[in-house]
Structure formats: C-alpha cells, structure tokens
C-alpha cells in the first residue's frame, strides 16, 4: 500500500531501496546517531523510543531515538483504519457467486396447466421464482468486482493512525538492523518470548533483500513475517501483534509520509482522479 | 487537535490491543440499502393506494388546475439575465494573504501577482467559469501588516487603504482569458511552446475601473494615483508611509507594462524550459505586433 501511496516520490529518489550495500560496521554507527526530524513540529513534542538490537535474545537497548509526532503520535482514527482495512479486503475481491434467473433456468417455456378450470393457482412457467427449482430473483451474478479506490489522504492517515496506535500500545519496536547471530528458528522464538513480543510479529526493513539469518530463521514460523517498507500497510500492521521497524525503515516511512503530508501540490496531483469534475 | 490525539493515545495505552477484530467505522457513517421485511415489508412504501401518487404522474409543478398559476401571474424579473457572461472574481482575503506571507508561501520581497498567488497551491481560478482573477477582500484588514507590491484584479477602497497603510502598493489590472490561461499554469503554458500572448485591453464596461486612479487601475495616470494615495490616507486617518524613502522602493514601484503578462518576460517571447533559453522575436512585423 505504501508503494501505491509513494509512486510519485519514487522516480525522484536517487537511492535504491532494493539492495543493501553498506557494511555492518558503518551502519551500526549510523544507527546510533540522533535522528534529525524533517518538518519539525512547533506544537507537538517528538516521541522517544528505545533503539534495540536483535543480536541477543534478551532485550539490549542501544540508545534513545526521536520519532516524528505527526507520524507516530497522530490522532488514532479507528474509523480511518477500519476504512483502510475494508478497502484492502475489498478492492481485490471478486465475488464469483452466481445464480440463474427464471429465464436462464432450463425449461419452463410452456404453461404448466390451463389458466382456469382446475381449481389450482394460475402459473405461466415451472421456472418462476415461486417454484422449487425455479429462478432466483435479484440473485448474485458472477463476476462481481468490489474494486474501488480509497481517497489518497485517507490512506495516508490510515497509516499514521496505525503506526501511532502501535507505538501507544507498546507494540512498536525499533531495531538497528535485522541481523541475528544464528539462522536457528529457536533463536527468534526465544527472542520473541523473552521480550514479550507477539506472538505474531511483523519485521519491516527499508530494503527488500533481508539478511540471510533472519530470512532462514523466520522461514518456517508462519506468524513471524518479513516485509520491506514499501509494502507496509494497515492490514498487516493490525494483523500482527507486534511491529518491528528497522531504523532505516523508520527513516524511509517518515520521509515518505511527511513528504505527502507537507507537499503543496496535492490539489493538482489529486485533481485528475477526482470524480464529478466541472 | 494535538491535545485530543494525546488523550486518545493515552486511553489506548490501557485498552486491549487494536486488531482486526475490534475496529469499526464511526456509527451511522454508512447507510446500507434497505429491503423491507416483516409485517409491512411488502406494503406500498408510503405511496398510498392507486392513483397519481403511486404512479408518479403528478401534475406539473405550479399547476393550479385551471387558475393562472402563481408563477405566471406576475412579470418576469430577470435577476440572472446575462449571469453567464458576467466576470467573476473569486475572493482572497487580506487575512489569508497575510497568512501566506507569514508561512512563506509567498515571497513578499518580490512583486506579487496572480501567478505567485496561484503558485502557492492554495488559491486557484477556473477560467471556464468566467473567473477573471482575484478579488482581494477586506477580512483581516485591521491586522494586515505586510509591506508588499501586489497586483490584483479587484479591490475595494478599504483593501487599498489597508495595503497602503502598511507601506505597500497595490494595482488593479485586467487580464483577458488567454493571458489568464498562461498565468494559472505557467509550466503547462511554457511547455506548449507558444509565444507569450499580448495582454488585451479591458472590455468597455471595465475600462472605467481600470483607468480610475482611486481604484489604483493599471491604466491610470501615476501622478493621479499618488494624489489619491494621500486622499485615501486622509480619509481613513493614517500617516502614509513614504515609499520613496523606503529601501525597497525599486520593488514597490515595479509595474508591468499594460501589454505584459509576466514580470521580466515580454509578449512574443518563447520560454524553452528544456534548454533553459528564452527565444525573442526578431522579425519586424512581429516586433510591431507585440510592441505596446
């Protein structure tokens, strides 16, 4: 969903998010630097969170990070989250339920019995909806697509609401990277248990090529999933109990969402998708 | 807003985890289609029994079964006669203008015109709805303090006084629809590769406004305008700031030629955005046509 949301920004960005090139030593140092917030707010204080590391089973705190209040302390609009989730469930759903009307059901062209003289009710067809085996009135027809687009800023505010709720309910954790020392499944199991995460955990990185160990360790655990930041969406955030973002992912998510919340050409960009244009 | 958000987030801290199973839309925000069921489900749906009510063949609206209808008893008053031809000036208040400047959406150190206001993305005009530019309105006149050189298409006396009291200058200028089309989306216009058009003179019914010094018309005599500035200062009782002594005099005194549309660009020039060059006509005939 974030990918849909960020299509305009994508072309303008010089860096590529699909490969990890930096060496672990330099990235660890970079992760410890204090964050510089884009579009700092005059009225709201930044939220502070611990930067953790996945390299030990027990929680190891590295430093404190500041998160942008417009993204991580936004108004938790449950209704917008609901709308986002309904949209995500519906836009790709095509109903294949199908029924036949009285004219599509085989037979029934002949008047079953004379109009008068039998003392029976008058009927013109044995496939009338009154008959057993007759057609269905106003029944479902296949295929029925349920596609629609949610307005752009409802999608944006759905994301900020979901992130804010996750942080407020202590279900959001920031880690320096997704590097873990072993590719053993039990390592990640124990880590989640010892840190009181989950049970279901969504791990989000800024790039879509994840470190080998985490990929191997989470491969067989169905409720621990990996996701690149461009795939982050409201449904997955609520589907999983705990959301784990890498610092790179936090930077990327903030940059994209703040970019959309603060751009001044949104009217022109949205205009062409507007219905009922004069 | 931030207070409400913080309160809500604080409450959420002690509530069960928000998940797919416990969210809902705002109550009453969506109405489903209703299908009547139960005792009165298959009834007449409020349409009564038989007749015109049920079959919807009502009498035409206003018909009084034979009397001369009310709407035909009196002479027509053509309030909207020619409405589709009247020039419209969408309003922009001094309060909003001040806000744009305070929030750095407009650079007041340069002359402000329709182009710079539309480029904020906060104000737009649609030419096909007969919009002819900005009507600067007096809301916020008391607190207006930006010192600027602004060109609008319509301004009241109070607005002119508010701008001039703050040490700025204001001009009212007419743009024909072709010129406006170039101004509201400059990028699109330059990409089209057509020469910048020559601004047309105002239509006959607008000549009076745009030549009058009291309206600060762009066709008025500059000397008369400086007289009117003094007259207005005396009428509203403020000390007229001397713009001649101001350090920004050059900016404040800058005016467009009556045939010019963009500051710094003359009619007939072609702006090539890709090669970043401005092409100027050399042909004698063209020069003669585009000369003001």
């Amino acid at each position: 969903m974030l990918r849909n949301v960020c299509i305009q920004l994508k072309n303008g960005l010089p860096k590529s998010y699909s490969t990890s090139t930096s060496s672990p030593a330099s990235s660890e140092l970079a992760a410890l630097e204090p964050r510089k917030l884009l579009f700092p707010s005059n009225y709201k204080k930044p939220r502070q969170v611990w930067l953790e590391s996945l390299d030990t089973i027990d929680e190891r705190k590295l430093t404190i990070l500041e998160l942008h209040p417009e993204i991580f302390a936004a108004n938790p609009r449950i209704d917008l989250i609901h709308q986002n989730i309904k949209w995500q469930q519906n836009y790709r759903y095509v109903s294949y339920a199908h029924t036949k009307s009285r004219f599509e059901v085989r037979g029934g062209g002949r008047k079953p019995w004379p109009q008068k003289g039998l003392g029976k009710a008058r009927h013109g067809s044995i496939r009338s909806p009154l008959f057993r085996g007759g057609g269905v009135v106003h029944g479902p027809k296949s295929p029925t697509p349920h596609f629609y687009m949610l307005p752009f800023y409802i999608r944006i505010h759905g994301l900020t609401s979901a992130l804010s709720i996750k942080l407020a309910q202590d279900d959001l954790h920031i880690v320096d990277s997704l590097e873990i020392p072993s590719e053993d499944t039990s390592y990640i199991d124990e880590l989640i248990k010892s840190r009181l995460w989950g049970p279901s955990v969504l791990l989000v990185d800024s790039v879509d090529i994840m470190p080998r160990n985490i990929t191997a360790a989470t491969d067989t655990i169905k409720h621990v999933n990996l996701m690149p930041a461009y795939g982050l969406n409201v449904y997955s955030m609520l589907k999983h109990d705990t959301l784990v973002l890498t610092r790179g992912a936090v930077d990327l998510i903030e940059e994209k969402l703040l970019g959309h919340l603060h751009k001044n050409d949104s009217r022109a960009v949205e205009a062409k998708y507007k219905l009922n244009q004069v | 807003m931030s207070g409400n958000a913080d309160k809500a987030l604080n409450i959420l801290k002690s509530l069960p985890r928000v998940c797919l199973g416990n969210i809902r839309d705002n109550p009453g925000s969506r109405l489903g289609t209703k299908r009547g069921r139960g005792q009165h489900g298959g009834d007449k749906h409020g349409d009564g029994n038989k007749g015109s009510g049920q079959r919807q063949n009502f009498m035409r609206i206003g018909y009084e079964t034979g009397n001369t209808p009310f709407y035909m008893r009196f002479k027509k008053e053509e309030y909207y006669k020619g409405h589709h031809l009247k020039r419209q000036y969408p309003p922009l208040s001094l309060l909003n203008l001040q806000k744009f400047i305070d929030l750095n959406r407009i650079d007041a150190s340069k002359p402000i015109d329709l182009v710079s206001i539309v480029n904020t993305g906060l104000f737009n005009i649609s030419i096909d709805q007969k919009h002819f530019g900005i009507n600067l309105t007096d809301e916020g006149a008391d607190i207006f303090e930006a010192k600027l050189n602004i060109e609008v298409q319509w301004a009241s006396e109070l607005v002119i006084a508010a701008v001039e009291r703050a040490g700025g200058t204001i001009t009212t200028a007419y743009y024909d629809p072709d010129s406006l089309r170039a101004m509201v989306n400059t990028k699109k216009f330059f990409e089209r590769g057509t020469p910048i058009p020559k601004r047309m003179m105002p239509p006959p019914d607008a000549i009076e406004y745009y030549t009058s010094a009291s309206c600060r018309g762009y066709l008025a005599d500059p000397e008369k305008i400086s007289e009117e500035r003094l007259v207005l200062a005396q009428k509203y009782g403020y000390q007229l700031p001397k713009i001649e002594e101001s350090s920004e005099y050059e900016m404040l005194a800058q005016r467009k030629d009556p045939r010019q549309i963009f500051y710094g660009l003359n009619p007939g020039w072609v702006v090539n955005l890709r090669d970043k060059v401005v092409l100027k006509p050399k042909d004698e005939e063209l020069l003669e046509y585009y000369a003001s």
Side-chain angles (χ1 to χ4, degrees):
Chain A
M1 190 165 114
L2 198 66
R3 175 168 43 181
N4 289 341
V5 152
C6 303
I7 264 164
Q8 292 94 1
L9 269 181
K10 213 169 190 182
N11 298 334
L13 283 171
K15 41 191 169 174
S16 158
Y17 296 111
S18 57
T19 47
S20 51
T21 48
S22 56
S23 61
S26 67
S27 70
E28 195 173 332
L29 282 179
L32 290 173
E33 282 169 21
R35 300 188 69 227
K36 194 170 176 293
L37 298 183
L38 300 163
F39 304 104
S41 170
N42 290 337
Y43 309 107
K44 290 167 125 188
K45 274 190 207 152
R47 289 290 154 120
Q48 290 188 324
V49 288
W50 285 108
L51 179 69
E52 301 168 33
S53 174
L54 294 183
D55 54 11
T56 53
I57 284 183
D58 292 324
E59 193 168 314
R60 190 166 77 87
K61 291 162 179 165
L62 299 176
T63 178
I64 285 180
L65 285 187
E66 293 203 324
L67 299 179
H68 200 288
E70 257 186 88
I71 308 297
F72 290 95
N75 199 358
R77 290 281 299 270
I78 305 285
D79 56 325
L80 295 191
I81 287 185
H82 178 267
Q83 285 176 29
N84 270 275
I85 282 171
K86 282 287 153 217
W87 171 67
Q88 280 188 265
Q89 288 170 331
N90 277 338
Y91 77 83
R92 52 194 294 182
Y93 167 60
V94 179
S95 168
Y96 293 106
H98 190 80
T99 52
K100 286 180 175 173
S101 75
R102 59 182 293 173
F103 299 109
E104 289 159 349
V105 186
R106 189 184 183 90
R110 188 181 61 173
K111 190 169 177 69
W113 51 78
Q115 181 83 348
K116 298 171 86 70
L118 296 181
K120 292 170 82 170
R122 46 203 178 186
H123 283 291
S125 163
I126 58 160
R127 297 307 183 199
S128 135
L130 303 184
F131 276 66
R132 184 182 151 275
V136 177
V137 183
H138 302 315
K141 292 286 175 188
S142 169
T144 308
H146 289 74
F147 176 84
Y148 65 101
M149 278 313 279
L150 204 60
F152 185 81
Y153 280 97
I154 292 189
R155 284 179 267 156
I156 294 280
H157 286 124
L159 289 168
T160 57
S161 298
L163 288 167
S164 305
I165 288 173
K166 282 287 171 200
L167 180 63
Q169 299 198 320
D170 202 16
D171 288 329
L172 179 76
H173 298 272
I174 315 285
V175 294
D176 56 345
S177 76
L178 295 185
E179 296 284 354
I180 51 171
S182 97
E183 57 179 60
D184 192 3
T185 308
S186 63
Y187 178 86
I188 206 86
D189 260 341
E190 279 170 38
L191 183 143
I192 288 170
K193 210 179 213 176
S194 112
R195 299 190 185 196
L196 302 176
W197 289 359
S200 56
V201 177
L202 180 67
L203 299 146
V204 179
D205 200 357
S206 57
V207 291
D208 55 9
I209 297 176
M210 312 276 177
R212 192 196 141 71
N213 280 353
I214 191 97
T215 322
T218 58
D219 197 28
T220 52
I221 318 177
K222 294 267 172 73
H223 54 272
V224 178
N225 292 306
L226 302 174
M227 183 180 267
Y230 63 69
L232 189 68
N233 62 83
V234 178
Y235 186 91
S236 303
M237 278 195 268
L238 262 68
K239 174 92 177 163
H240 295 82
D241 296 327
T242 300
L243 177 66
V244 178
L245 305 175
T246 63
R247 173 160 174 168
V250 172
D251 288 340
L252 183 59
I253 291 163
E254 272 194 9
E255 178 197 334
K256 298 264 182 185
L257 292 180
L258 286 170
H260 283 302
L261 289 171
H262 286 269
K263 69 181 179 183
N264 63 3
D265 64 341
S266 55
R267 187 210 293 258
V269 172
E270 279 172 273
K272 61 179 170 181
Y273 302 111
K274 218 168 249 174
L275 300 176
N276 301 327
Q277 296 192 32
V278 179
Chain B
M1 195 63 199
S2 85
N4 286 348
D6 286 343
K7 267 184 220 163
L9 291 170
N10 264 331
I11 295 170
L12 276 172
K13 278 181 190 173
S14 50
L15 287 177
R17 178 180 283 135
V18 175
C19 66
L20 294 176
N22 58 14
I23 50 170
R24 65 150 161 73
D25 213 340
N26 283 339
S29 61
R30 243 153 258 270
L31 270 181
T33 48
K34 276 188 196 165
R35 186 167 72 90
R37 280 203 167 193
Q39 192 186 2
H40 299 290
D43 283 359
K44 310 275 193 294
H45 300 284
D47 279 343
N49 211 15
K50 283 184 169 181
S52 67
Q54 204 177 58
R55 315 231 163 75
Q56 308 243 316
N57 54 350
F58 307 113
M59 293 179 294
R60 67 168 193 271
I61 285 176
Y63 185 59
E64 295 179 16
T65 61
N67 298 339
T68 306
F70 183 81
Y71 70 88
M72 287 167 76
R73 254 176 258 163
F74 310 101
K75 238 172 83 176
K76 190 153 95 179
E77 291 181 18
E78 294 193 291
Y79 182 80
Y80 284 113
K81 190 178 181 186
H83 177 75
H84 66 294
L85 301 170
K86 285 179 187 165
R87 288 188 299 278
Q88 309 287 329
Y89 296 93
L92 172 71
S93 65
L94 282 171
L95 186 70
N96 274 340
L97 181 63
Q98 180 72 55
K99 197 161 71 181
F100 293 173
I101 292 163
D102 293 346
L103 297 176
N104 286 332
R105 302 298 285 259
I106 292 181
D107 181 10
S109 66
K110 286 178 190 162
I112 297 166
D113 63 348
L114 181 64
V115 175
S116 49
I117 291 172
V118 167
N119 281 348
T120 58
L122 304 168
F123 183 90
N124 209 357
I125 60 167
S126 44
I127 297 148
D128 48 0
Q129 291 186 55
K130 296 276 167 195
H131 291 177
F132 274 73
I134 298 168
N135 173 12
L136 196 59
T137 59
D138 56 11
E139 188 185 348
D142 293 340
I143 57 163
F144 188 77
E145 55 178 19
K147 191 174 173 184
L148 43 73
N149 173 8
I150 189 169
E151 184 192 74
V152 291
Q153 281 63 54
W154 205 268
S156 65
E157 195 186 60
L158 177 56
V159 168
I160 295 171
V163 172
E164 289 178 355
R165 188 187 63 173
T169 54
I170 181 167
T171 317
T172 54
Y174 172 82
Y175 291 92
D176 60 292
D178 267 351
S179 312
L180 288 169
R181 213 157 274 134
M183 294 170 90
V184 292
N185 197 341
T186 41
K187 186 163 174 275
K188 195 173 165 191
F189 172 74
F190 290 145
E191 278 170 353
R192 203 178 293 147
T194 48
I196 298 169
K198 183 164 85 167
R199 173 151 52 133
M200 294 293 123
M201 282 295 148
D205 58 336
I207 289 267
E208 193 189 334
Y209 185 85
Y210 291 112
T211 50
S212 110
S214 58
C215 300
R216 306 294 183 268
Y218 74 122
L219 299 174
D221 183 3
E223 277 178 22
K224 275 189 187 159
I225 286 183
S226 24
E227 255 173 56
E228 287 290 336
R229 281 167 60 87
L230 275 172
V231 170
L232 200 59
Q234 284 172 6
K235 179 173 175 185
Y236 281 85
Y238 58 85
Q239 186 72 37
L240 187 67
K242 286 185 180 159
I243 59 164
E244 297 84 357
E245 290 166 11
S246 153
S247 57
E248 294 159 315
Y249 174 69
E250 245 179 56
M251 185 276 286
L252 292 173
Q254 209 174 324
R255 294 284 179 278
K256 284 181 195 172
D257 186 86
R259 294 292 192 184
Q260 198 182 8
I261 296 174
F262 302 107
Y263 281 110
L265 295 172
N266 286 344
W269 292 6
V270 177
V271 177
N272 184 338
L273 289 181
R274 200 174 61 179
D275 302 339
K276 295 190 175 151
V277 287
V278 176
L279 308 169
K280 300 170 187 174
K282 282 183 179 169
D283 189 61
E284 285 295 322
E285 243 179 87
L286 285 176
L287 288 175
E288 197 184 326
Y289 172 75
Y290 284 118
S292 64

